[in-house]
């Protein structure tokens, strides 16, 4: 798994340099290539988690889902939204509504992770669950009511959170063990492997013309710099 992750990082860096360091118009195919790499890495994250649970902890692997939220700007609003996800069983897949929900700064597990720039763990059975649930919209509460455990890990660029890697489950925390150090540390390591792609959110949204890497980065720095003030 480590070898595959290293290979993923090398391939992603090459792909990024190939695409962004040329001032050209990118096609839908370019976007699809990047998304395929992301999908592959999310599958690897699921595999690494399962390996720890089954081989290291000798436990039954619970149902979990993995998603990557990207910082998105629309109509002067900044929010996190699912751009890629993975689950081995189609019956457990994210619904269309779940993928379209906008998650705001400081709200929900992902929003708390965004605000603190630290990994956050939601346990619906714990006494502090309202810390994560307070302020959420009815649709957010409704369409995530089946989720009992969440591990949200921020992905940073230049000290700004630009994405959130989430693992969630309908199982309770004592089953998924998101709060166990071996698990949380492994997911932080995997989140760092995803960092190179988050320099190109436009690639993940519409596949339109992408500025050179330096120009795009400068634009992002202006856009994202205000997020923590909201």
């Amino acid at each position: 798994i480590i070898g595959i992750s290293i290979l993923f990082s090398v391939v992603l860096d090459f792909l990024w340099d190939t695409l962004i360091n040329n001032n050209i118009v990118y096609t839908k195919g370019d976007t699809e290539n990047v998304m395929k790499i992301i999908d592959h890495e999310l599958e690897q994250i699921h595999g690494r988690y399962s390996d720890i649970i089954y081989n290291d902890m000798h436990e039954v692997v619970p149902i979990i889902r993995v998603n990557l939220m990207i910082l998105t700007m629309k109509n002067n609003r900044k929010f996190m939204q699912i751009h890629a996800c993975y689950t081995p069983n189609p019956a457990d897949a994210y619904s269309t509504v779940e993928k379209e929900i906008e998650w705001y700064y400081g709200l929900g597990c992902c929003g708390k992770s965004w605000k603190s720039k630290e990994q956050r763990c939601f346990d619906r059975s714990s006494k502090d669950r309202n810390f994560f649930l307070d302020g959420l919209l009815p649709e957010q509460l409704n369409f995530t009511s089946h989720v009992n455990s969440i591990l949200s890990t921020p992905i940073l660029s230049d000290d700004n959170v630009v994405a959130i890697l989430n693992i969630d489950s309908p199982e309770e925390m004592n089953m998924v063990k998101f709060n166990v150090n071996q698990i949380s540390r492994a997911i932080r390591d995997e989140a760092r492997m995803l960092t190179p792609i988050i320099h190109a959110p436009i690639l993940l949204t519409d596949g339109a013309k992408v500025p050179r890497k330096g120009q795009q980065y400068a634009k992002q720095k202006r856009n994202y710099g205000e997020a923590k003030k909201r």
Side-chain angles (χ1 to χ4, degrees):
I1 293 176
I2 294 175
I4 293 174
S5 295
I6 293 173
L7 177 60
F8 162 78
S9 181
V10 172
V11 171
L12 193 54
D13 285 341
F14 173 77
L15 180 61
W16 171 254
D17 290 335
T18 299
L19 291 177
I20 304 306
N21 289 332
N22 295 281
N23 193 16
I24 60 175
V25 175
Y26 299 104
T27 66
K28 181 179 179 181
D30 295 323
T31 306
E32 290 175 347
N33 286 337
V34 174
M35 292 306 299
K36 286 179 181 177
I37 295 176
I38 296 172
D39 290 341
H40 174 75
E41 177 61 9
L42 296 187
E43 182 177 356
Q44 294 302 311
I45 291 170
H46 187 284
R48 184 173 182 186
Y49 168 85
S50 300
D51 183 66
I52 293 173
I53 291 291
Y54 185 75
N55 291 320
D56 294 352
M57 298 182 177
H58 307 292
E59 301 276 358
V60 175
V61 178
I63 297 170
I64 70 160
R65 307 183 300 177
V66 185
N67 77 67
L68 178 67
M69 293 181 177
I70 304 290
L71 180 60
T72 304
M73 296 187 65
K74 183 178 181 181
N75 298 328
N76 295 319
R77 302 194 316 276
K78 297 177 183 178
F79 54 89
M80 293 286 175
Q81 191 171 49
I82 293 176
H83 280 257
C85 52
Y86 174 78
T87 180
N89 187 349
D92 303 320
Y94 291 92
S95 67
T96 300
V97 174
E98 284 182 286
K99 294 177 183 178
E100 293 177 348
I101 291 176
E102 299 174 359
W103 294 93
Y104 292 93
Y105 184 77
L107 297 178
C109 192
C110 60
K112 299 293 186 186
S113 180
W114 178 4
K115 183 176 181 178
S116 66
K117 299 182 181 180
E118 296 179 353
Q119 199 172 55
R120 286 288 180 261
C121 196
F122 168 70
D123 178 358
R124 191 177 294 276
S125 65
S126 71
K127 294 181 180 180
D128 68 346
R129 60 182 177 276
N130 288 335
F131 173 72
F132 296 96
L133 298 176
D134 287 348
L136 295 183
L137 298 173
E139 69 169 6
Q140 292 173 318
L141 293 170
N142 182 39
F143 287 100
T144 60
S145 61
H146 62 290
V147 176
N148 289 315
S149 304
I150 306 172
L151 180 63
S152 295
T153 306
I155 298 174
L156 284 75
S157 175
D158 193 33
D159 199 41
N160 292 312
V161 177
V162 293
I164 302 288
L165 174 64
N166 298 292
I167 301 180
D168 66 48
S169 176
E171 309 280 1
E172 295 187 355
M173 190 61 66
N174 65 327
M175 294 291 294
V176 298
K177 305 186 186 305
F178 291 162
N179 55 352
V180 173
N181 186 57
Q182 186 178 2
I183 295 291
S184 59
R185 184 177 62 247
I187 300 306
R188 282 196 299 269
D189 291 343
E190 293 294 338
R192 282 193 288 269
M193 299 298 293
L194 286 165
T195 302
I197 65 169
I198 312 304
H199 290 294
I202 194 170
L203 265 181
L204 303 179
T205 54
D206 57 18
K209 181 183 288 187
V210 182
R212 290 183 181 273
K213 184 174 182 180
Q215 297 170 343
Q216 178 73 5
Y217 177 76
K219 181 179 179 182
Q220 290 171 347
K221 189 173 182 179
R222 293 194 300 272
N223 290 340
Y224 301 157
E226 299 299 319
K228 61 184 178 182
K229 300 178 182 179
R230 294 187 58 188

